[in-house]
Amino acid sequence: MSLVTTAWLARRCSRTLLAGNSFHRLHHCPYRLHDSCKSYGWYDPRCAGRSFSDCKNERRTRSDSCRGCLGHKCREVCPKGAISIVNHRAYINQELCIECGRCKQVCPFGAIVDKSYVMNILNLLRDSFNNTNYHVYAVVAPAVASQFGEVNVGQVFAGIKELGFYDVVEAAIAGDMVALAETEEFTETIEEKKWKTTSCCPAFVDYVRKNHPDLMDHVSTVVSPMIAMGRAIRAKDPKARVVFIGPCTAKKVEVKQPEVKGAVDHAMTFEELRAMFDAKGLDLVNLPEISAGEPSSYGRIFARTGGVAESVRRVAKLEGVDVEINPVCCNGIEECIKALKLASFGRLDGNLIEGMVCKGGCTNGAASIFHDQRGIERINGFSREALTDDSNEGIRGYDMEAISMEREYAGLKAKKENE
């Protein structure tokens, strides 16, 4: 096993990683995912030569590190009641789970884990042969500004480049794309729909899809910034491969959804990025800053609650849109649930629901390194460093005619075909 893999596992495992470099020497490894893994060979040296992507579980799961604690914090914080206790261990109902990551955040033993694609990403980098076979781009979420407080954001971008990526691109550029597209969509459809929701948060969209399928017609059909940026990069570079880096575990599920599949190859978290930095021995403090593009200040505030709505209203103002946009910014899943209920009864005090499952927004995502109020302050500070507050300026250099900003939700498409 490589040094990168060992360091990554050491960070992700809930207990001590004992000396050695084979899978059977890892005690309490969270990648002992479920009983079927025993027959698959995860507990012994037969695992050698196999990647973690071989595991058939594609979503969040409970590992053997679960201690059956009396508090059952994971069950208490789950907004959908997707977790039950079976034989003194947590059981996750994947049909109900919306990938919000709350259970992962509160588990004191690190027993609930999302599937990692770090090995896939390392293999992608390796097989590019220093980006000669193809070009591996890193798309970095704007929440990065809140995660590495000891260095400047440009030094984090430099560190990512040192890992072997061909180029580093701010996802905030696609935030500008999404703001423009959502403003246009809102203007064209609000009279008919009466109210709309944003679609940037995959956990929010998943919640609506699973619990209020009748309301999916109100969810924006504009793709998330991650998907938009992946499509934009591929439109410019046919040899591109795209890896998304952010605080959100739900993004790993989003990249595989059939209606957007192919835009992004893999997603990884800031936790995993930090582990890769550690494994390579990178000292970010000593790296020079590099730029990852010049998005607008509004593209960068997508990382916090209220940012998407503010961006849409800003675009509407700059473009002279003669439609009132009255947003309801939901700070966490509880507020999302409340807003949707009010909207369904025609009692919503607004016409645009900004749905963010994590309190504070992406800066407090389930796989963030830091979770505190300073994160939002850093996001706002990073936004102020932008050279423009015009989203049209933020996307300069990209041919929007060549980029599809739309998605058609599979369930909604089938429903329309049956009508």
Side-chain angles (χ1 to χ4, degrees):
M1 186 184 298
S2 70
L3 176 62
V4 170
T5 310
T6 304
W8 162 63
L9 281 172
R11 184 171 291 276
R12 294 301 302 275
C13 286
S14 59
R15 309 295 287 178
T16 304
L17 174 63
L18 300 184
N21 64 353
S22 57
F23 290 113
H24 67 290
R25 297 289 293 275
L26 301 177
H27 286 224
H28 308 294
C29 173
Y31 290 89
R32 295 171 177 177
L33 295 175
H34 41 65
D35 290 341
S36 63
C37 289
K38 294 180 180 179
S39 61
Y40 200 69
W42 288 100
Y43 282 167
D44 56 49
R46 287 179 296 169
C47 295
R50 290 176 175 166
S51 72
F52 294 106
S53 61
D54 290 333
C55 178
K56 304 305 180 187
N57 194 313
E58 297 288 341
R59 300 172 68 96
R60 188 179 312 282
T61 188
R62 182 268 302 165
S63 74
D64 282 355
S65 296
C66 180
R67 294 291 182 268
C69 55
L70 296 177
H72 302 316
K73 290 184 177 181
C74 56
R75 184 180 66 182
E76 296 302 318
V77 300
C78 180
K80 287 312 303 160
I83 298 179
S84 55
I85 306 302
V86 180
N87 295 327
H88 307 291
R89 295 291 186 272
Y91 167 76
I92 302 175
N93 184 333
Q94 301 293 351
E95 295 300 315
L96 295 177
C97 177
I98 61 171
E99 298 292 327
C100 66
R102 281 188 167 192
C103 53
K104 175 182 181 292
Q105 284 182 281
V106 301
C107 179
F109 301 105
I112 296 179
V113 295
D114 52 285
K115 184 173 180 180
S116 180
Y117 296 90
V118 165
M119 290 303 299
N120 305 70
I121 295 167
L122 292 175
N123 290 338
L124 190 69
L125 290 168
R126 180 198 64 196
D127 295 343
S128 75
F129 287 95
N130 292 322
N131 292 290
T132 56
N133 281 349
Y134 48 79
H135 303 149
V136 186
Y137 290 80
V139 174
V140 187
V144 66
S146 66
Q147 298 301 297
F148 298 86
E150 71 277 11
V151 296
N152 295 322
V153 179
Q155 292 174 298
V156 180
F157 294 153
I160 295 172
K161 193 80 177 289
E162 286 291 318
L163 294 176
F165 287 91
Y166 178 75
D167 200 5
V168 184
V169 183
E170 284 194 49
I173 296 171
D176 287 322
M177 296 177 184
V178 168
L180 291 162
E182 286 208 2
T183 303
E184 181 180 0
E185 180 192 48
F186 184 90
T187 304
E188 294 174 351
T189 62
I190 192 60
E191 184 176 355
E192 174 192 354
K193 304 298 183 184
K194 307 305 180 186
W195 59 274
K196 296 283 291 183
T197 84
T198 58
S199 57
C200 296
C201 175
F204 171 75
V205 174
D206 210 23
Y207 170 79
V208 180
R209 193 197 317 240
K210 290 183 176 181
N211 297 278
H212 301 284
D214 54 313
L215 301 181
M216 280 300 296
D217 202 33
H218 294 273
V219 178
S220 172
T221 57
V222 176
V223 295
S224 70
M226 174 184 74
I227 299 301
M229 199 69 251
R231 290 179 177 178
I233 290 172
R234 290 178 184 276
K236 291 184 71 172
D237 184 355
K239 296 178 66 176
R241 302 291 187 273
V242 183
V243 174
F244 178 78
I245 304 174
C248 180
T249 54
K251 289 294 185 184
K252 297 181 180 183
V253 176
E254 184 185 8
V255 299
K256 293 180 175 294
Q257 292 173 345
E259 61 264 32
V260 295
K261 191 174 182 179
V264 176
D265 294 274
H266 302 292
M268 64 184 289
T269 66
F270 288 138
E271 289 178 335
E272 292 163 332
L273 177 63
R274 169 70 82 177
M276 291 178 72
F277 285 158
D278 292 347
K280 191 170 176 62
L282 287 177
D283 185 359
L284 300 183
V285 175
N286 294 324
L287 293 179
E289 293 188 54
I290 66 170
S291 172
E294 294 294 345
S296 79
S297 58
Y298 283 87
R300 286 175 172 173
I301 60 173
F302 267 57
R304 62 160 173 79
T305 298
V308 180
E310 289 178 35
S311 300
V312 170
R313 294 186 75 180
R314 175 64 176 173
V315 170
K317 180 179 179 180
L318 290 175
E319 301 201 346
V321 173
D322 189 23
V323 174
E324 182 181 3
I325 301 176
N326 187 11
V328 176
C329 299
C330 301
N331 189 23
I333 185 63
E334 290 83 3
E335 293 187 12
C336 292
I337 294 172
K338 179 181 177 181
L340 288 169
K341 286 182 178 179
L342 289 172
S344 65
F345 289 116
R347 298 176 58 187
L348 183 70
D349 187 21
N351 58 8
L352 176 63
I353 296 175
E354 182 196 87
M356 287 199 178
V357 165
C358 295
K359 288 188 175 180
C362 304
T363 184
N364 283 323
S368 292
I369 301 170
F370 297 107
H371 301 268
D372 56 36
Q373 182 61 33
R374 290 176 298 175
I376 296 177
E377 295 171 0
R378 289 169 180 157
I379 294 296
N380 290 335
F382 186 44
S383 171
R384 288 191 291 270
E385 294 176 9
L387 300 179
T388 179
D389 62 0
D390 185 344
S391 291
N392 284 294
E393 288 293 316
I395 64 172
R396 60 187 180 276
Y398 290 90
D399 179 9
M400 295 305 297
E401 294 296 323
I403 305 167
S404 171
M405 294 296 294
E406 293 293 312
R407 67 182 292 176
E408 187 161 12
Y409 301 105
L412 187 59
K413 182 179 181 181
K415 178 182 175 182
K416 288 180 177 178
E417 290 175 349
N418 293 330
E419 290 178 348

